[in-house]
Amino acid sequence: MDNCRILSFKDMSNKYGHLVPVEQENDVPFQIKRIYYIYGVDKETIRGKHAHRDLHQVLICLKGSVKIKIKTPNNEELYHLNDPTRGLYVGNLIWVEMFDFTKDTLLLVLVSDFYDETDYIRNYAVYLEELKRD
Ligand code: TYD
C-alpha cells in the first residue's frame, strides 16, 4: 500500500544482548516529535479504529506481538508485528486497527507531531467522506 511499509532497523547484537538504534529522518521518514507506548491490553481489545489527517507514525512491537490492520477504501493489509528490529510506517489518511495483543505486548509508537485530537478521524464514514473531498 502507498504510504505504508515495513522499516528494518540495525540490530547491534553482540554477546551482551541486542541494541537497536532508531534515528529520526535516517531510520524513520520524519522528525519524531512524540513517542507513546501501549501495554497491558486484553486479547479481546481492538485499539486504534481511526485515521490521522496529517500525522505519520511508526509502530514497533518491542515485546510480545500484535496484529495491525491498515485499510483504505481500495486496499487492506494485515501485519503481525513481533520483531523489535522492524517498524510499520503508517502515513496519514490510513485507517488503523490494532488487535490480538499478547499479555506481554509492549508497542512503541514514534509520531511526527504532538498530540492533537483534531487530527483524528474516529468515524469510518467521515474518513471515507474526507478522502472523497481530497
Ligand atoms: P487513542 O489514540 O484513542 O488510543 P488508541 O488509538 O491506541 O486506541 O488514545 C487514548 C487516549 O489517550 C485518548 O483519550 C487520547 C489520549 N492520548 C494522549 O493524551 N496523548 C497521546 O499521545 C495519545 C496517543 C493519546
Side-chain angles (χ1 to χ4, degrees), residues 34 36 38 47-48 50 98 115 117 120 122:
R34 173 168 53 109
Y36 66 93
I38 296 172
R47 298 196 61 125
H50 61 247
M98 306 169 230
Y115 174 73
E117 186 58 36
Y120 280 74
R122 293 191 183 271

Side-chain angles (χ1 to χ4, degrees), residues 65-129:
S65 72
V66 61
K67 289 184 184 139
I68 313 288
K69 181 154 78 174
I70 55 171
K71 217 164 129 177
T72 62
N74 308 319
N75 233 325
E76 187 171 311
E77 287 174 4
L78 182 67
Y79 290 90
H80 190 193
L81 299 187
N82 59 4
D83 178 351
T85 70
R86 286 170 168 247
L88 176 63
Y89 167 71
V90 182
N92 64 331
L93 293 176
I94 291 175
W95 191 262
V96 180
E97 297 182 5
M98 306 169 230
F99 59 100
D100 264 3
F101 286 78
T102 52
K103 247 190 167 57
D104 59 343
T105 300
L106 173 57
L107 180 66
L108 172 66
V109 187
L110 314 177
V111 196
S112 65
D113 216 336
F114 300 115
Y115 174 73
D116 175 7
E117 186 58 36
T118 66
D119 187 65
Y120 280 74
I121 310 172
R122 293 191 183 271
N123 177 300
Y124 196 69
V126 172
Y127 166 68
L128 293 177
E129 274 307 307

Side-chain angles (χ1 to χ4, degrees), residues 6 16-17 30 44 86 91 100:
I6 289 286
Y16 303 109
F30 52 79
E44 301 72 35
R86 286 170 168 247
D100 264 3

Side-chain angles (χ1 to χ4, degrees), residues 36-50:
Y36 66 93
Y37 32 92
I38 296 172
Y39 58 96
V41 181
D42 287 342
K43 194 174 168 36
E44 301 72 35
T45 301
I46 304 176
R47 298 196 61 125
K49 292 194 272 188
H50 61 247

